[in-house]
Amino acid sequence: MQAPRGTFDVLPEDAERRQVVEGHVRRILGAAGYRRIETPTFEATELFSRGVGEATDIVRKEMYTFDDGGGRSVTLRPEGTAPVCRAYIEHGMHKLPQPVKLWYLGSFYRREAPQRGRYRQFWQVGAEVIGSAEAATDAELILLLAELLEALGVRETRLRLSSLGTPETRAEYREELKQYLRAHEGRLSGEVRERIDINPMRAFDSGDPGTREVMAGAPTLLARLSGEDAEHFAQVRAMLDDADLRYELDPTLVRGLDYYTRTVFEFTSDALGAQSGVGGGGRYDRLMEQLEGPPTPASGWAAGIERMLLATGELPTAPDLVDLYVAIADQSAARRAFELARDARRAGLGAQLELAGRSLKGQLKQAGRLRSRYVAIIGAESEISLKDMESGDQRKLHPAAVIPTILRGSRLS
Ligand code: HAM
């Protein structure tokens, strides 16, 4: 049997690399005052249809939706922002000092066509700042993601930045864009033409040559922003400039989720293939109200763990530390060997026990493979031979002296 299409196993060596990612996330976001939150893997379907938007690809065709057995429709979470907002409302977090700064790391599910960097179950790390409309919030979030990508050695990154303004400005702009698209209908791809009414903005995303040509001359939303939205965006840009973070203004940046207002951004990596988006996000000032919460401005991002790992070079992982390998020279010593390994672990040492019934020679070889610092050989007699694997020195010790000797790092010659 094989794992389902678009899913993968996290093998031990992969788990170690992920651990390194998580360590950087904790350090970088923790130092900036973000606290971890985890929401359930599935939620009421309505949370996403309302939050992410009925017209999005995610809601239209990518959700894993099922009946929970009691007539309620639930969905495996395709993203984390709507669930975090639901939790903010449900737990009355508006009563906490604002803004509330949160991060999460977990698995998400989208029924997309699988390819390199695009899976049906994938992991995201996300950060959300709820309760602040300040441009500084957006700038800080972007800088934190940039710092994370740099710490992980994600190569050839580029930052695309834009602003979507308010839903009202966008509605007016959408009408203008629809008219423009209709005027050039003949040169658009079938898919784009079909969706002029549902989601005209997606036309900017099309890879079709004819559509691209048409879109090159299309009106942009960035040029239609209201005074306040334009000012907010100018502030975000000024802060990124001050921090020397380079970005490309991209008025065609469309995100696959409907909740965005004002700032939107995406980091891509040229080291990846077609699926080049490593992380992205933006401001979502109206989402909380859509979910029947109090009006609360917010901003955030999420980055794909697999894509970050694909775009990174060698990621140094901490080697598993084995201080002691307990070898069994005589079966009568099995229990004492077990106890020695247990006591060593209690004393804070990394200790492994022979579990495969190897010959003594085979056990020493295995200890070498694990790069254990010491081997304790336990036989029929009560004394234990402790061997320093680096120097090759070996000495017989009273059982009670083995762990203190290792802890002191004493010479055995
Ligand atoms: P998103 O752009 O849909 O945003 O996803 C964020 C990241 O998740 C992407 O940049 C990509 O690295 C990764 N990702 C998405 N889909 C897949 C997939 N099928 N396979 C592998 N990786 C994938 C969001 O999800 C928003 N919730 C971000 C956000 C937070 N906006 C505001 N706050």
Side-chain angles (χ1 to χ4, degrees):
M1 281 227 276
Q2 287 185 334
R5 236 165 75 78
T7 70
F8 53 86
D9 298 304
V10 176
L11 298 174
E13 55 272 26
D14 306 325
E16 279 160 20
R17 300 181 81 214
R18 284 160 181 264
Q19 195 93 13
V20 175
V21 176
E22 185 170 338
H24 285 292
V25 168
R26 278 177 191 283
R27 179 177 58 76
I28 292 168
L29 294 179
Y34 290 65
R35 297 172 69 206
R36 188 167 188 167
I37 183 168
E38 288 303 335
T39 59
T41 322
F42 59 88
E43 296 268 359
T45 301
E46 203 192 346
L47 175 66
F48 301 113
S49 46
R50 272 211 230 170
V52 174
E54 297 277 8
T56 59
D57 280 352
I58 294 181
V59 172
R60 285 173 64 234
K61 49 188 188 198
E62 295 172 2
M63 298 207 300
Y64 287 97
T65 297
F66 52 98
D67 186 295
D68 73 349
R72 286 166 297 259
S73 176
V74 291
T75 291
L76 293 181
R77 56 182 183 183
E79 65 99 48
T81 308
V84 167
C85 290
R86 196 249 327 121
Y88 178 95
I89 299 166
E90 188 171 330
H91 301 285
M93 289 191 224
H94 62 279
K95 292 187 212 120
L96 300 173
Q98 304 291 301
V100 176
K101 301 191 276 186
L102 303 166
W103 70 270
Y104 49 88
L105 196 163
S107 54
F108 294 85
Y109 307 84
R110 295 182 192 176
R111 192 187 288 108
E112 296 196 75
Q115 64 179 83
R116 183 179 140 91
R118 188 164 71 193
Y119 312 101
R120 292 182 163 182
Q121 173 174 348
F122 56 97
W123 267 256
Q124 277 187 350
V125 50
E128 314 286 354
V129 179
I130 306 179
S132 163
E134 297 295 316
T137 303
D138 303 9
E140 178 182 90
L141 278 160
I142 294 171
L143 288 167
L144 287 170
L145 180 51
E147 199 180 325
L148 177 65
L149 298 178
E150 197 189 323
L152 295 176
V154 174
R155 292 165 297 160
E156 299 171 59
T157 55
R158 278 199 270 177
L159 169 60
R160 295 160 70 206
L161 183 70
S162 190
S163 173
L164 300 179
T166 57
E168 293 75 29
T169 316
R170 206 145 75 227
E172 278 171 35
Y173 167 72
R174 269 169 66 104
E175 287 314 310
E176 187 185 347
L177 184 61
K178 277 189 214 171
Q179 278 176 18
Y180 176 83
L181 290 173
R182 283 208 197 91
H184 297 84
E185 213 161 327
R187 288 161 63 203
L188 301 176
S189 75
E191 201 189 338
V192 170
R193 211 178 314 136
E194 261 169 41
R195 299 190 54 193
I196 291 181
D197 282 319
I198 315 173
N199 200 347
M201 294 277 283
R202 279 319 278 258
F204 284 113
D205 253 0
S206 171
D208 169 67
T211 308
R212 289 181 80 93
E213 263 174 46
V214 173
M215 296 322 285
T220 70
L221 178 55
L222 214 44
R224 304 284 185 280
L225 293 186
S226 73
E228 277 181 19
D229 292 343
E231 171 58 24
H232 189 276
F233 192 45
Q235 287 176 15
V236 174
R237 292 179 54 187
M239 281 181 256
L240 297 180
D241 291 339
D242 288 346
D244 274 334
L245 186 70
R246 292 181 53 190
Y247 55 82
E248 295 159 26
L249 267 195
D250 185 350
T252 69
L253 176 61
V254 243
R255 308 258 313 126
L257 308 106
D258 271 357
Y259 46 62
Y260 292 111
T261 51
R262 295 190 162 176
T263 319
V264 282
F265 58 92
E266 202 157 81
F267 281 90
T268 55
S269 165
D270 293 340
L272 293 172
Q275 299 305 312
S276 62
V278 269
R283 180 159 280 288
Y284 48 96
D285 290 340
R286 306 281 180 97
L287 178 56
M288 211 58 89
E289 282 160 84
Q290 270 158 27
L291 302 177
E292 289 169 4
T296 315
S299 191
W301 51 254
I305 303 287
E306 294 76 32
R307 293 207 194 154
M308 289 194 291
L309 286 172
L310 279 172
T312 188
E314 262 313 293
L315 194 61
T317 57
D320 264 344
L321 215 60
V322 184
D323 302 298
L324 175 65
Y325 191 84
V326 182
I328 304 168
D330 186 286
Q331 264 318 304
S332 66
R335 249 181 76 192
R336 285 163 50 228
F338 188 84
E339 281 167 14
L340 179 64
R342 185 197 60 193
D343 292 347
R345 290 177 198 136
R346 284 186 180 160
L349 297 171
Q352 292 199 28
L353 181 68
E354 169 58 22
L355 294 174
R358 293 183 180 85
S359 67
L360 186 57
K361 199 171 151 205
Q363 295 183 57
L364 288 170
K365 222 168 157 183
Q366 172 67 357
R369 274 196 289 265
L370 293 169
R371 294 213 297 272
S372 182
R373 285 167 54 213
Y374 294 90
V375 179
I377 303 164
I378 309 193
E381 57 191 47
S382 76
E383 283 198 316
I384 294 174
S385 289
L386 188 64
K387 180 171 176 152
D388 181 329
M389 294 293 276
E390 204 183 321
S391 65
D393 296 339
Q394 188 164 334
R395 200 195 315 167
K396 284 198 171 173
L397 293 172
H398 184 273
V402 172
I403 294 169
T405 304
I406 297 173
L407 287 172
R408 279 198 304 270
S410 315
R411 291 179 62 96
L412 297 176
S413 56

